[in-house]
Amino acid sequence: MTDDAGSVDLFPGFESLWLEGPGGRAFARAGGPAEAPPLLLLHGFPQTHAMWHRLAPDLARDHRVICLDLKGYGWSAAPAGGPGHEAYAKRELGREIVALMERIGHVHFALCGHDRGARVAYRLALDEPGRVARLALLDIVPTLVQWERIEAHPGMNPHWPFLAGPAPGPEDEILARGPDAYYEGLLRDWSRAKDLSAFAPGALALYRQSWNVPERIHAMCEDYRAGAGPDRAADAADLAAGRTLPMPVLVLSSDAYLERGKPETALATWRRTFAPQATGEVVVSGHFLAEENPSATLKALRAFLAG
């Protein structure tokens, strides 16, 4: 895939970075003063780095902001998964991201992730806490807890067991339905307005460009298969060992998606598992906080990062 005007317009003043790393070639946009504290932003499913376009320019006023396409998404490499799905395990992705950040001169950085990116973020922070100055998690609970909820309430978040199903079942079904129909349906279902009005045309164009590539459909399924296997196992081991996140942690959750109808709040879940000292806010939004309610999300992030 090649860069286009939509990407440039979404991140005025940002540069494009192509980085060679242990997981293959990765793409990122970077902006802000070179000497400013680094802030890495990791996107969610089924999006790309473009989801940060309403926050990144403001955050770049006093941070060196890096918006990375996760492996398998956007313009980053999308290698095939293996039997154990380790290539897309969040522990492996975290290691690869540390190497990428070192390549551009950052060994210690603030980290903010949404959805799947938040799962990479908290795993990286648990495995290498000395790397992460501050950690912001947008609209998730730990992977282990998520699977426990799904098992206790069959039918909740059906995309999790669907995408985690054996290959090539979900891949073939998505291609048969049409990737635009499938993924846009998720965007609608998870947004507060139940439509695509929150998503900028340029961002949607980049999402469509990514999710229409068969190798990336496979990669996204591998992401969820890893969630059901090595990611869940890593959470269980850390929980049993009593490991927690030592850095300041912010939990932002959506009132209309993550909090609706749940047995406990996202903040309470994190406090009883991996982040006993976490702070948090509930944002009036569907799942896509950074695009549906960028002003509230930005205000909370700026206050947290300044702390």
Side-chain angles (χ1 to χ4, degrees):
M1 290 183 287
T2 56
D3 202 351
D4 66 4
S7 178
V8 172
D9 292 340
L10 290 173
F11 293 88
F14 277 53
E15 59 182 304
S16 297
L17 302 178
W18 288 101
L19 305 169
E20 297 294 339
R25 202 179 194 206
F27 179 81
R29 302 298 305 271
E35 69 280 3
L39 169 61
L40 175 61
L41 303 179
L42 300 178
H43 65 85
F45 165 91
Q47 300 158 288
T48 73
H49 76 278
M51 65 155 283
W52 300 110
H53 71 98
R54 291 182 175 135
L55 306 187
D58 187 281
L59 292 169
R61 291 190 290 122
D62 45 19
H63 289 84
R64 180 62 175 173
V65 175
I66 301 97
C67 304
L68 177 70
D69 276 339
L70 293 170
K71 182 166 74 175
Y73 293 78
W75 293 320
S76 291
H85 317 299
E86 293 290 346
Y88 289 89
K90 307 310 167 287
R91 172 162 285 154
E92 179 61 23
L93 295 181
R95 289 173 180 155
E96 293 169 1
I97 286 169
V98 164
L100 291 172
M101 290 295 282
E102 285 189 346
R103 183 148 298 186
I104 56 175
H106 303 306
V107 297
H108 187 67
F109 46 89
L111 180 55
C112 173
H114 171 253
D115 188 83
R116 309 308 290 182
R119 300 188 186 285
V120 178
Y122 84 78
R123 174 46 50 198
L124 188 163
L126 281 167
D127 288 350
E128 299 203 47
R131 300 280 184 173
V132 181
R134 289 178 170 268
L135 176 65
L137 303 173
L138 275 58
D139 225 38
I140 67 161
V141 294
T143 298
L144 173 64
V145 173
Q146 179 70 9
W147 277 114
E148 290 173 343
R149 288 182 177 183
I150 290 169
E151 290 164 355
H153 304 280
M156 188 183 85
N157 297 122
H159 67 288
W160 276 62
F162 168 67
L163 292 167
E171 289 94 330
D172 289 347
E173 186 169 338
I174 290 168
L175 286 167
R177 290 193 211 177
D180 286 345
Y182 177 70
Y183 293 113
E184 288 177 23
L186 297 181
L187 296 185
R188 292 187 181 94
D189 288 346
W190 300 344
S191 67
R192 189 180 184 88
K194 303 301 181 186
D195 60 26
L196 299 179
S197 60
F199 305 99
L204 270 175
L206 293 177
Y207 303 159
R208 290 170 180 142
Q209 189 181 69
S210 175
W211 70 43
N212 271 284
V213 178
E215 291 81 1
R216 300 191 184 284
I217 296 172
H218 170 70
M220 286 188 273
C221 293
E222 284 295 297
D223 182 356
Y224 277 83
R225 291 177 187 125
D231 298 346
R232 181 173 182 170
D235 275 11
D238 281 350
L239 200 60
R243 294 183 67 196
T244 58
L245 295 159
M247 70 289 297
V249 176
L250 174 68
V251 174
L252 296 183
S253 55
S254 59
D255 70 327
Y257 182 79
L258 188 61
E259 299 291 354
R260 178 170 289 175
K262 299 304 189 296
E264 68 179 345
T265 66
L267 181 58
T269 303
W270 282 102
R271 284 178 171 171
R272 73 170 173 85
T273 54
F274 298 122
Q277 304 302 316
T279 59
E281 294 183 29
V282 177
V283 178
V284 177
S285 178
H287 182 49
F288 306 100
L289 283 69
E291 290 166 289
E292 294 185 69
N293 195 341
S295 59
T297 305
L298 181 62
K299 181 179 179 182
L301 285 177
R302 289 199 67 87
F304 174 67
L305 293 169

